[in-house]
Amino acid sequence: MRGGGPAGIWIALVALVAVSACGGSSPERIAGPTPTPDLTPVTVKVGHVASTQWAPLYVAIERGYFQRLNVNVQLQALRLGQDPVDLISRGQVDVAVTDLNAAVFNGLGGGLAYKIVGSMAAIPTGGTPPVQLEVAKPLLDHGTVRTLADLKGRKIAIDGGAGSGSGYLAGLALQGAGVGLKDMTVIDLAATDMEEAFQIGSIDAALAPAPYSTTMERHGVAVPKAAPPAGTTWSGVLYGAKLGGSAGLRFFQALVRGARDLTGPDRTSDDTLGIVSKYTGIGPDVLRTVPPYDWDQALKPDTASLAGLQASYRTVGLLKYGADLPASRIVDTTYSKRAASARP
């Protein structure tokens, strides 16, 4: 019988086993090809209202971090009266960097299709806070207001009102003083108009961000009396239903790279200030005097602040749903976790 028959096959197999048993080495395993990252070009529309809070976004754009990952960012400046929740839920923008106001939570509570995927600015540890609770200087000079508790029944200006992230910060600044926003008359007033309101006596206090807080202090119309605690976040990154997968990961990776640039001396370098000035319209010389915000190095969502924001809005009766929404329902941590493990 020829070797090609069944008996020949068995003889060949036995011989192969014998060779192996006698010390013949098995063929070396060849590793499979390394997966190529998906860099398919994608355009991402981002809604924003110009603010120093979004400095990581502006830095990432100008330093080419999005471009390197084939992400074309189209910024869409939100006009007065435009609601980022409405825009992102209807797919007119893919991403919104925004104050996490009551409308954001009401939309999530109502089942609108977007998620909180990251945090933005935070109150830094140490130094002058970038947001201060200011009190009218004449009230302090005349002894009318001696402690924060004396603000009960008085008028406080908050950009966005009680149902905004600034309202949450104001409540935290007042915490422990025996007075809350529900005990005061809250006036929704743009930060740009607060100094004039102090001057004409139409407000008694304000939650003011720099540079408006530092300017009114320098002009002698208001005095800082409290600030939100360090580490507090009140704004974040929303992803619409259409953004996910590789595109969502690449966008967030570039955004985190921008946030990591904003640590140490580079936070206030001439280049960084020039970038922030370009997008906010605030001059570099003014920005140099503004106490900087902080940013988590993976921009991870702050679940404690999300719970605190809901509690704040519920206290003033602005939430339209029942029990507070758990983080597992409204947050997607996929992107920040991947960014945290990625090489800086």
Side-chain angles (χ1 to χ4, degrees), residues 266-314:
D266 193 42
R267 185 184 309 195
T268 54
S269 69
D270 289 344
D271 181 64
T272 298
L273 295 181
I275 291 171
V276 177
S277 176
K278 174 181 176 179
Y279 287 89
T280 63
I282 302 173
D285 290 341
V286 175
L287 288 172
R288 196 167 279 108
T289 68
V290 172
Y293 292 109
D294 202 359
W295 290 270
D296 180 80
Q297 293 302 283
L299 297 180
K300 64 179 179 292
D302 183 349
T303 55
S305 286
L306 295 178
L309 285 157
Q310 291 184 82
S312 173
Y313 303 147
R314 193 172 296 284

mmCIF file of all heavy atoms in Angstrom, residues 266-314:
data_model
loop_
_atom_site.group_PDB
_atom_site.id
_atom_site.type_symbol
_atom_site.label_atom_id
_atom_site.label_comp_id
_atom_site.label_asym_id
_atom_site.label_seq_id
_atom_site.Cartn_x
_atom_site.Cartn_y
_atom_site.Cartn_z
ATOM 1 N N ASP A 266 1.845 75.907 32.891
ATOM 2 C CA ASP A 266 1.265 76.070 31.555
ATOM 3 C C ASP A 266 -0.169 76.577 31.611
ATOM 4 O O ASP A 266 -0.691 77.089 30.626
ATOM 5 C CB ASP A 266 1.312 74.745 30.788
ATOM 6 C CG ASP A 266 1.027 74.935 29.303
ATOM 7 O OD1 ASP A 266 1.559 75.908 28.728
ATOM 8 O OD2 ASP A 266 0.269 74.144 28.732
ATOM 9 N N ARG A 267 -0.806 76.447 32.772
ATOM 10 C CA ARG A 267 -2.188 76.909 32.904
ATOM 11 C C ARG A 267 -2.308 78.399 32.617
ATOM 12 O O ARG A 267 -3.309 78.854 32.071
ATOM 13 C CB ARG A 267 -2.699 76.610 34.316
ATOM 14 C CG ARG A 267 -4.155 76.946 34.527
ATOM 15 C CD ARG A 267 -4.608 76.723 35.949
ATOM 16 N NE ARG A 267 -4.255 75.411 36.456
ATOM 17 C CZ ARG A 267 -4.785 74.869 37.553
ATOM 18 N NH1 ARG A 267 -5.682 75.521 38.237
ATOM 19 N NH2 ARG A 267 -4.398 73.681 37.968
ATOM 20 N N THR A 268 -1.263 79.143 32.982
ATOM 21 C CA THR A 268 -1.300 80.597 32.786
ATOM 22 C C THR A 268 -0.180 81.073 31.861
ATOM 23 O O THR A 268 0.236 82.231 31.936
ATOM 24 C CB THR A 268 -1.196 81.317 34.145
ATOM 25 O OG1 THR A 268 -0.035 80.842 34.846
ATOM 26 C CG2 THR A 268 -2.431 81.058 34.996
ATOM 27 N N SER A 269 0.297 80.179 30.996
ATOM 28 C CA SER A 269 1.335 80.584 30.046
ATOM 29 C C SER A 269 0.748 81.554 29.025
ATOM 30 O O SER A 269 -0.472 81.625 28.825
ATOM 31 C CB SER A 269 1.903 79.361 29.326
ATOM 32 O OG SER A 269 0.934 78.809 28.445
ATOM 33 N N ASP A 270 1.611 82.300 28.358
ATOM 34 C CA ASP A 270 1.150 83.254 27.353
ATOM 35 C C ASP A 270 0.364 82.551 26.248
ATOM 36 O O ASP A 270 -0.654 83.071 25.762
ATOM 37 C CB ASP A 270 2.346 84.000 26.741
ATOM 38 C CG ASP A 270 2.976 84.989 27.710
ATOM 39 O OD1 ASP A 270 2.322 85.320 28.725
ATOM 40 O OD2 ASP A 270 4.115 85.423 27.457
ATOM 41 N N ASP A 271 0.834 81.363 25.853
ATOM 42 C CA ASP A 271 0.146 80.632 24.789
ATOM 43 C C ASP A 271 -1.256 80.224 25.224
ATOM 44 O O ASP A 271 -2.232 80.403 24.481
ATOM 45 C CB ASP A 271 0.954 79.394 24.397
ATOM 46 C CG ASP A 271 0.292 78.617 23.264
ATOM 47 O OD1 ASP A 271 0.174 79.173 22.157
ATOM 48 O OD2 ASP A 271 -0.128 77.467 23.499
ATOM 49 N N THR A 272 -1.367 79.684 26.444
ATOM 50 C CA THR A 272 -2.676 79.259 26.943
ATOM 51 C C THR A 272 -3.624 80.445 27.076
ATOM 52 O O THR A 272 -4.787 80.382 26.658
ATOM 53 C CB THR A 272 -2.530 78.554 28.305
ATOM 54 O OG1 THR A 272 -1.734 77.372 28.143
ATOM 55 C CG2 THR A 272 -3.887 78.161 28.864
ATOM 56 N N LEU A 273 -3.140 81.533 27.651
ATOM 57 C CA LEU A 273 -3.992 82.711 27.820
ATOM 58 C C LEU A 273 -4.422 83.273 26.468
ATOM 59 O O LEU A 273 -5.554 83.748 26.310
ATOM 60 C CB LEU A 273 -3.264 83.780 28.631
ATOM 61 C CG LEU A 273 -2.945 83.421 30.089
ATOM 62 C CD1 LEU A 273 -2.236 84.580 30.776
ATOM 63 C CD2 LEU A 273 -4.207 83.045 30.852
ATOM 64 N N GLY A 274 -3.531 83.196 25.487
ATOM 65 C CA GLY A 274 -3.885 83.654 24.148
ATOM 66 C C GLY A 274 -4.998 82.819 23.543
ATOM 67 O O GLY A 274 -5.902 83.345 22.880
ATOM 68 N N ILE A 275 -4.943 81.504 23.770
ATOM 69 C CA ILE A 275 -5.987 80.608 23.257
ATOM 70 C C ILE A 275 -7.325 80.914 23.921
ATOM 71 O O ILE A 275 -8.355 81.073 23.251
ATOM 72 C CB ILE A 275 -5.591 79.136 23.497
ATOM 73 C CG1 ILE A 275 -4.405 78.745 22.613
ATOM 74 C CG2 ILE A 275 -6.780 78.210 23.231
ATOM 75 C CD1 ILE A 275 -3.821 77.382 22.941
ATOM 76 N N VAL A 276 -7.324 80.997 25.247
ATOM 77 C CA VAL A 276 -8.574 81.244 25.976
ATOM 78 C C VAL A 276 -9.145 82.611 25.601
ATOM 79 O O VAL A 276 -10.359 82.778 25.446
ATOM 80 C CB VAL A 276 -8.347 81.129 27.493
ATOM 81 C CG1 VAL A 276 -9.619 81.469 28.260
ATOM 82 C CG2 VAL A 276 -7.882 79.717 27.858
ATOM 83 N N SER A 277 -8.268 83.585 25.422
ATOM 84 C CA SER A 277 -8.709 84.922 25.020
ATOM 85 C C SER A 277 -9.388 84.890 23.657
ATOM 86 O O SER A 277 -10.418 85.545 23.443
ATOM 87 C CB SER A 277 -7.514 85.878 24.987
ATOM 88 O OG SER A 277 -7.899 87.150 24.515
ATOM 89 N N LYS A 278 -8.838 84.112 22.739
ATOM 90 C CA LYS A 278 -9.395 84.015 21.383
ATOM 91 C C LYS A 278 -10.842 83.547 21.410
ATOM 92 O O LYS A 278 -11.682 84.039 20.642
ATOM 93 C CB LYS A 278 -8.542 83.054 20.555
ATOM 94 C CG LYS A 278 -9.109 82.754 19.170
ATOM 95 C CD LYS A 278 -8.224 81.778 18.410
ATOM 96 C CE LYS A 278 -8.844 81.400 17.065
ATOM 97 N NZ LYS A 278 -7.970 80.455 16.307
ATOM 98 N N TYR A 279 -11.159 82.610 22.296
ATOM 99 C CA TYR A 279 -12.497 82.014 22.297
ATOM 100 C C TYR A 279 -13.473 82.699 23.249
ATOM 101 O O TYR A 279 -14.689 82.555 23.086
ATOM 102 C CB TYR A 279 -12.400 80.523 22.636
ATOM 103 C CG TYR A 279 -11.834 79.707 21.501
ATOM 104 C CD1 TYR A 279 -10.462 79.503 21.386
ATOM 105 C CD2 TYR A 279 -12.658 79.166 20.522
ATOM 106 C CE1 TYR A 279 -9.927 78.776 20.334
ATOM 107 C CE2 TYR A 279 -12.138 78.438 19.467
ATOM 108 C CZ TYR A 279 -10.768 78.245 19.379
ATOM 109 O OH TYR A 279 -10.242 77.528 18.326
ATOM 110 N N THR A 280 -12.966 83.411 24.247
ATOM 111 C CA THR A 280 -13.862 84.048 25.216
ATOM 112 C C THR A 280 -14.009 85.544 25.008
ATOM 113 O O THR A 280 -14.962 86.153 25.508
ATOM 114 C CB THR A 280 -13.359 83.822 26.654
ATOM 115 O OG1 THR A 280 -12.072 84.446 26.813
ATOM 116 C CG2 THR A 280 -13.263 82.333 26.966
ATOM 117 N N GLY A 281 -13.049 86.147 24.299
ATOM 118 C CA GLY A 281 -13.087 87.593 24.115
ATOM 119 C C GLY A 281 -12.557 88.371 25.304
ATOM 120 O O GLY A 281 -12.593 89.605 25.310
ATOM 121 N N ILE A 282 -12.053 87.679 26.318
ATOM 122 C CA ILE A 282 -11.458 88.342 27.484
ATOM 123 C C ILE A 282 -9.967 88.516 27.212
ATOM 124 O O ILE A 282 -9.278 87.560 26.854
ATOM 125 C CB ILE A 282 -11.663 87.512 28.766
ATOM 126 C CG1 ILE A 282 -13.155 87.275 29.015
ATOM 127 C CG2 ILE A 282 -11.033 88.208 29.966
ATOM 128 C CD1 ILE A 282 -13.436 86.314 30.163
ATOM 129 N N GLY A 283 -9.459 89.720 27.367
ATOM 130 C CA GLY A 283 -8.068 90.007 27.047
ATOM 131 C C GLY A 283 -7.084 89.210 27.891
ATOM 132 O O GLY A 283 -7.361 88.910 29.057
ATOM 133 N N PRO A 284 -5.926 88.860 27.324
ATOM 134 C CA PRO A 284 -4.915 88.103 28.078
ATOM 135 C C PRO A 284 -4.488 88.791 29.369
ATOM 136 O O PRO A 284 -4.242 88.118 30.379
ATOM 137 C CB PRO A 284 -3.745 87.997 27.087
ATOM 138 C CG PRO A 284 -4.374 88.130 25.745
ATOM 139 C CD PRO A 284 -5.517 89.078 25.924
ATOM 140 N N ASP A 285 -4.397 90.125 29.357
ATOM 141 C CA ASP A 285 -3.991 90.841 30.566
ATOM 142 C C ASP A 285 -5.015 90.670 31.679
ATOM 143 O O ASP A 285 -4.661 90.561 32.861
ATOM 144 C CB ASP A 285 -3.793 92.329 30.262
ATOM 145 C CG ASP A 285 -2.565 92.584 29.395
ATOM 146 O OD1 ASP A 285 -1.698 91.686 29.332
ATOM 147 O OD2 ASP A 285 -2.485 93.662 28.777
ATOM 148 N N VAL A 286 -6.297 90.650 31.298
ATOM 149 C CA VAL A 286 -7.351 90.423 32.297
ATOM 150 C C VAL A 286 -7.310 88.975 32.773
ATOM 151 O O VAL A 286 -7.395 88.694 33.972
ATOM 152 C CB VAL A 286 -8.737 90.766 31.713
ATOM 153 C CG1 VAL A 286 -9.841 90.405 32.707
ATOM 154 C CG2 VAL A 286 -8.818 92.240 31.349
ATOM 155 N N LEU A 287 -7.167 88.044 31.838
ATOM 156 C CA LEU A 287 -7.119 86.624 32.206
ATOM 157 C C LEU A 287 -5.964 86.327 33.159
ATOM 158 O O LEU A 287 -6.075 85.454 34.021
ATOM 159 C CB LEU A 287 -6.975 85.766 30.948
ATOM 160 C CG LEU A 287 -8.209 85.662 30.049
ATOM 161 C CD1 LEU A 287 -7.863 84.942 28.754
ATOM 162 C CD2 LEU A 287 -9.346 84.944 30.772
ATOM 163 N N ARG A 288 -4.888 87.068 33.010
ATOM 164 C CA ARG A 288 -3.723 86.843 33.869
ATOM 165 C C ARG A 288 -4.045 87.161 35.331
ATOM 166 O O ARG A 288 -3.403 86.637 36.247
ATOM 167 C CB ARG A 288 -2.550 87.688 33.369
ATOM 168 C CG ARG A 288 -1.194 87.268 33.911
ATOM 169 C CD ARG A 288 -0.048 87.928 33.159
ATOM 170 N NE ARG A 288 0.238 87.225 31.905
ATOM 171 C CZ ARG A 288 -0.049 87.690 30.703
ATOM 172 N NH1 ARG A 288 -0.637 88.864 30.570
ATOM 173 N NH2 ARG A 288 0.240 86.992 29.629
ATOM 174 N N THR A 289 -5.048 88.000 35.568
ATOM 175 C CA THR A 289 -5.428 88.369 36.937
ATOM 176 C C THR A 289 -6.546 87.485 37.486
ATOM 177 O O THR A 289 -6.911 87.605 38.653
ATOM 178 C CB THR A 289 -5.913 89.836 36.985
ATOM 179 O OG1 THR A 289 -7.168 89.953 36.286
ATOM 180 C CG2 THR A 289 -4.897 90.766 36.355
ATOM 181 N N VAL A 290 -7.106 86.626 36.635
ATOM 182 C CA VAL A 290 -8.253 85.808 37.033
ATOM 183 C C VAL A 290 -7.780 84.523 37.710
ATOM 184 O O VAL A 290 -6.973 83.784 37.133
ATOM 185 C CB VAL A 290 -9.117 85.461 35.804
ATOM 186 C CG1 VAL A 290 -10.204 84.462 36.171
ATOM 187 C CG2 VAL A 290 -9.734 86.723 35.217
ATOM 188 N N PRO A 291 -8.267 84.226 38.911
ATOM 189 C CA PRO A 291 -7.917 82.944 39.544
ATOM 190 C C PRO A 291 -8.383 81.790 38.658
ATOM 191 O O PRO A 291 -9.543 81.766 38.239
ATOM 192 C CB PRO A 291 -8.700 82.975 40.868
ATOM 193 C CG PRO A 291 -8.992 84.421 41.115
ATOM 194 C CD PRO A 291 -9.148 85.042 39.768
ATOM 195 N N PRO A 292 -7.513 80.849 38.343
ATOM 196 C CA PRO A 292 -7.889 79.782 37.405
ATOM 197 C C PRO A 292 -8.761 78.708 38.049
ATOM 198 O O PRO A 292 -8.721 78.494 39.263
ATOM 199 C CB PRO A 292 -6.539 79.197 36.992
ATOM 200 C CG PRO A 292 -5.648 79.450 38.167
ATOM 201 C CD PRO A 292 -6.107 80.748 38.763
ATOM 202 N N TYR A 293 -9.545 78.050 37.209
ATOM 203 C CA TYR A 293 -10.292 76.872 37.637
ATOM 204 C C TYR A 293 -9.347 75.677 37.673
ATOM 205 O O TYR A 293 -8.194 75.745 37.241
ATOM 206 C CB TYR A 293 -11.426 76.577 36.653
ATOM 207 C CG TYR A 293 -12.539 77.594 36.646
ATOM 208 C CD1 TYR A 293 -12.717 78.458 35.566
ATOM 209 C CD2 TYR A 293 -13.432 77.679 37.709
ATOM 210 C CE1 TYR A 293 -13.746 79.389 35.549
ATOM 211 C CE2 TYR A 293 -14.466 78.612 37.700
ATOM 212 C CZ TYR A 293 -14.619 79.460 36.621
ATOM 213 O OH TYR A 293 -15.634 80.381 36.611
ATOM 214 N N ASP A 294 -9.880 74.577 38.158
ATOM 215 C CA ASP A 294 -9.173 73.307 38.116
ATOM 216 C C ASP A 294 -9.997 72.353 37.258
ATOM 217 O O ASP A 294 -11.190 72.588 37.029
ATOM 218 C CB ASP A 294 -9.005 72.754 39.533
ATOM 219 C CG ASP A 294 -7.860 71.763 39.641
ATOM 220 O OD1 ASP A 294 -7.206 71.496 38.610
ATOM 221 O OD2 ASP A 294 -7.621 71.262 40.749
ATOM 222 N N TRP A 295 -9.362 71.276 36.771
ATOM 223 C CA TRP A 295 -10.070 70.259 35.993
ATOM 224 C C TRP A 295 -9.545 68.892 36.392
ATOM 225 O O TRP A 295 -8.328 68.705 36.545
ATOM 226 C CB TRP A 295 -9.855 70.455 34.484
ATOM 227 C CG TRP A 295 -10.527 71.656 33.929
ATOM 228 C CD1 TRP A 295 -11.788 71.736 33.409
ATOM 229 C CD2 TRP A 295 -9.983 72.987 33.843
ATOM 230 N NE1 TRP A 295 -12.063 73.024 33.013
ATOM 231 C CE2 TRP A 295 -10.970 73.813 33.264
ATOM 232 C CE3 TRP A 295 -8.758 73.552 34.198
ATOM 233 C CZ2 TRP A 295 -10.774 75.169 33.039
ATOM 234 C CZ3 TRP A 295 -8.560 74.904 33.979
ATOM 235 C CH2 TRP A 295 -9.563 75.701 33.401
ATOM 236 N N ASP A 296 -10.443 67.948 36.575
ATOM 237 C CA ASP A 296 -10.021 66.580 36.838
ATOM 238 C C ASP A 296 -9.206 66.081 35.652
ATOM 239 O O ASP A 296 -9.545 66.357 34.494
ATOM 240 C CB ASP A 296 -11.252 65.690 37.048
ATOM 241 C CG ASP A 296 -10.880 64.254 37.326
ATOM 242 O OD1 ASP A 296 -10.523 63.950 38.472
ATOM 243 O OD2 ASP A 296 -10.934 63.433 36.378
ATOM 244 N N GLN A 297 -8.136 65.332 35.914
ATOM 245 C CA GLN A 297 -7.223 64.939 34.850
ATOM 246 C C GLN A 297 -7.765 63.862 33.926
ATOM 247 O O GLN A 297 -7.149 63.539 32.906
ATOM 248 C CB GLN A 297 -5.888 64.508 35.454
ATOM 249 C CG GLN A 297 -5.144 65.661 36.111
ATOM 250 C CD GLN A 297 -4.862 66.803 35.145
ATOM 251 O OE1 GLN A 297 -3.962 66.713 34.321
ATOM 252 N NE2 GLN A 297 -5.636 67.884 35.219
ATOM 253 N N ALA A 298 -8.925 63.300 34.266
ATOM 254 C CA ALA A 298 -9.627 62.409 33.336
ATOM 255 C C ALA A 298 -11.017 62.951 33.033
ATOM 256 O O ALA A 298 -11.799 62.293 32.348
ATOM 257 C CB ALA A 298 -9.729 60.996 33.904
ATOM 258 N N LEU A 299 -11.314 64.148 33.554
ATOM 259 C CA LEU A 299 -12.629 64.775 33.390
ATOM 260 C C LEU A 299 -13.760 63.824 33.779
ATOM 261 O O LEU A 299 -14.838 63.826 33.184
ATOM 262 C CB LEU A 299 -12.826 65.261 31.945
ATOM 263 C CG LEU A 299 -11.859 66.354 31.471
ATOM 264 C CD1 LEU A 299 -12.161 66.734 30.024
ATOM 265 C CD2 LEU A 299 -11.919 67.590 32.362
ATOM 266 N N LYS A 300 -13.515 63.016 34.795
ATOM 267 C CA LYS A 300 -14.534 62.040 35.192
ATOM 268 C C LYS A 300 -15.728 62.739 35.840
ATOM 269 O O LYS A 300 -15.576 63.734 36.548
ATOM 270 C CB LYS A 300 -13.953 60.996 36.147
ATOM 271 C CG LYS A 300 -13.467 61.503 37.480
ATOM 272 C CD LYS A 300 -12.945 60.348 38.325
ATOM 273 C CE LYS A 300 -12.426 60.819 39.681
ATOM 274 N NZ LYS A 300 -11.206 61.623 39.556
ATOM 275 N N PRO A 301 -16.925 62.233 35.588
ATOM 276 C CA PRO A 301 -18.120 62.822 36.203
ATOM 277 C C PRO A 301 -18.048 62.715 37.723
ATOM 278 O O PRO A 301 -17.588 61.703 38.260
ATOM 279 C CB PRO A 301 -19.263 61.964 35.640
ATOM 280 C CG PRO A 301 -18.708 61.339 34.394
ATOM 281 C CD PRO A 301 -17.251 61.125 34.678
ATOM 282 N N ASP A 302 -18.480 63.756 38.398
ATOM 283 C CA ASP A 302 -18.455 63.803 39.858
ATOM 284 C C ASP A 302 -19.839 63.419 40.381
ATOM 285 O O ASP A 302 -20.759 64.234 40.397
ATOM 286 C CB ASP A 302 -18.072 65.213 40.313
ATOM 287 C CG ASP A 302 -17.944 65.335 41.827
ATOM 288 O OD1 ASP A 302 -18.350 64.398 42.535
ATOM 289 O OD2 ASP A 302 -17.451 66.376 42.294
ATOM 290 N N THR A 303 -19.995 62.171 40.791
ATOM 291 C CA THR A 303 -21.315 61.689 41.197
ATOM 292 C C THR A 303 -21.826 62.400 42.450
ATOM 293 O O THR A 303 -23.034 62.600 42.600
ATOM 294 C CB THR A 303 -21.289 60.167 41.432
ATOM 295 O OG1 THR A 303 -20.254 59.845 42.375
ATOM 296 C CG2 THR A 303 -21.004 59.426 40.130
ATOM 297 N N ALA A 304 -20.909 62.800 43.341
ATOM 298 C CA ALA A 304 -21.342 63.515 44.545
ATOM 299 C C ALA A 304 -21.951 64.866 44.172
ATOM 300 O O ALA A 304 -22.988 65.265 44.713
ATOM 301 C CB ALA A 304 -20.165 63.702 45.498
ATOM 302 N N SER A 305 -21.321 65.564 43.238
ATOM 303 C CA SER A 305 -21.868 66.850 42.805
ATOM 304 C C SER A 305 -23.187 66.673 42.056
ATOM 305 O O SER A 305 -24.098 67.497 42.189
ATOM 306 C CB SER A 305 -20.861 67.585 41.918
ATOM 307 O OG SER A 305 -19.800 68.113 42.687
ATOM 308 N N LEU A 306 -23.312 65.595 41.282
ATOM 309 C CA LEU A 306 -24.565 65.351 40.567
ATOM 310 C C LEU A 306 -25.717 65.146 41.550
ATOM 311 O O LEU A 306 -26.831 65.624 41.331
ATOM 312 C CB LEU A 306 -24.426 64.138 39.649
ATOM 313 C CG LEU A 306 -23.429 64.283 38.496
ATOM 314 C CD1 LEU A 306 -23.346 62.993 37.691
ATOM 315 C CD2 LEU A 306 -23.809 65.444 37.594
ATOM 316 N N ALA A 307 -25.438 64.456 42.650
ATOM 317 C CA ALA A 307 -26.457 64.282 43.681
ATOM 318 C C ALA A 307 -26.750 65.616 44.365
ATOM 319 O O ALA A 307 -27.910 65.950 44.639
ATOM 320 C CB ALA A 307 -25.992 63.248 44.703
ATOM 321 N N GLY A 308 -25.696 66.401 44.626
ATOM 322 C CA GLY A 308 -25.875 67.693 45.273
ATOM 323 C C GLY A 308 -26.646 68.677 44.414
ATOM 324 O O GLY A 308 -27.480 69.445 44.915
ATOM 325 N N LEU A 309 -26.382 68.666 43.116
ATOM 326 C CA LEU A 309 -27.109 69.540 42.197
ATOM 327 C C LEU A 309 -28.602 69.228 42.218
ATOM 328 O O LEU A 309 -29.445 70.137 42.288
ATOM 329 C CB LEU A 309 -26.550 69.382 40.782
ATOM 330 C CG LEU A 309 -25.197 70.054 40.520
ATOM 331 C CD1 LEU A 309 -24.481 69.390 39.341
ATOM 332 C CD2 LEU A 309 -25.379 71.545 40.251
ATOM 333 N N GLN A 310 -28.929 67.945 42.175
ATOM 334 C CA GLN A 310 -30.348 67.573 42.206
ATOM 335 C C GLN A 310 -31.002 67.994 43.520
ATOM 336 O O GLN A 310 -32.131 68.511 43.529
ATOM 337 C CB GLN A 310 -30.505 66.065 41.998
ATOM 338 C CG GLN A 310 -30.145 65.602 40.601
ATOM 339 C CD GLN A 310 -30.411 64.121 40.405
ATOM 340 O OE1 GLN A 310 -31.545 63.704 40.141
ATOM 341 N NE2 GLN A 310 -29.374 63.312 40.526
ATOM 342 N N ALA A 311 -30.294 67.790 44.624
ATOM 343 C CA ALA A 311 -30.843 68.178 45.927
ATOM 344 C C ALA A 311 -31.084 69.683 45.990
ATOM 345 O O ALA A 311 -32.100 70.145 46.531
ATOM 346 C CB ALA A 311 -29.895 67.744 47.041
ATOM 347 N N SER A 312 -30.159 70.456 45.413
ATOM 348 C CA SER A 312 -30.289 71.912 45.403
ATOM 349 C C SER A 312 -31.525 72.349 44.624
ATOM 350 O O SER A 312 -32.312 73.183 45.086
ATOM 351 C CB SER A 312 -29.028 72.535 44.793
ATOM 352 O OG SER A 312 -29.162 73.926 44.623
ATOM 353 N N TYR A 313 -31.716 71.767 43.444
ATOM 354 C CA TYR A 313 -32.854 72.152 42.606
ATOM 355 C C TYR A 313 -34.177 71.664 43.199
ATOM 356 O O TYR A 313 -35.211 72.318 43.052
ATOM 357 C CB TYR A 313 -32.680 71.601 41.192
ATOM 358 C CG TYR A 313 -31.386 72.036 40.524
ATOM 359 C CD1 TYR A 313 -30.720 71.205 39.630
ATOM 360 C CD2 TYR A 313 -30.824 73.276 40.800
ATOM 361 C CE1 TYR A 313 -29.538 71.593 39.024
ATOM 362 C CE2 TYR A 313 -29.636 73.679 40.204
ATOM 363 C CZ TYR A 313 -28.995 72.828 39.322
ATOM 364 O OH TYR A 313 -27.818 73.226 38.732
ATOM 365 N N ARG A 314 -34.130 70.534 43.882
ATOM 366 C CA ARG A 314 -35.355 70.029 44.499
ATOM 367 C C ARG A 314 -35.781 70.929 45.661
ATOM 368 O O ARG A 314 -36.976 71.175 45.875
ATOM 369 C CB ARG A 314 -35.147 68.588 44.978
ATOM 370 C CG ARG A 314 -36.444 67.882 45.340
ATOM 371 C CD ARG A 314 -36.218 66.410 45.627
ATOM 372 N NE ARG A 314 -35.739 65.677 44.469
ATOM 373 C CZ ARG A 314 -36.496 65.305 43.444
ATOM 374 N NH1 ARG A 314 -37.779 65.630 43.420
ATOM 375 N NH2 ARG A 314 -35.982 64.622 42.441
#
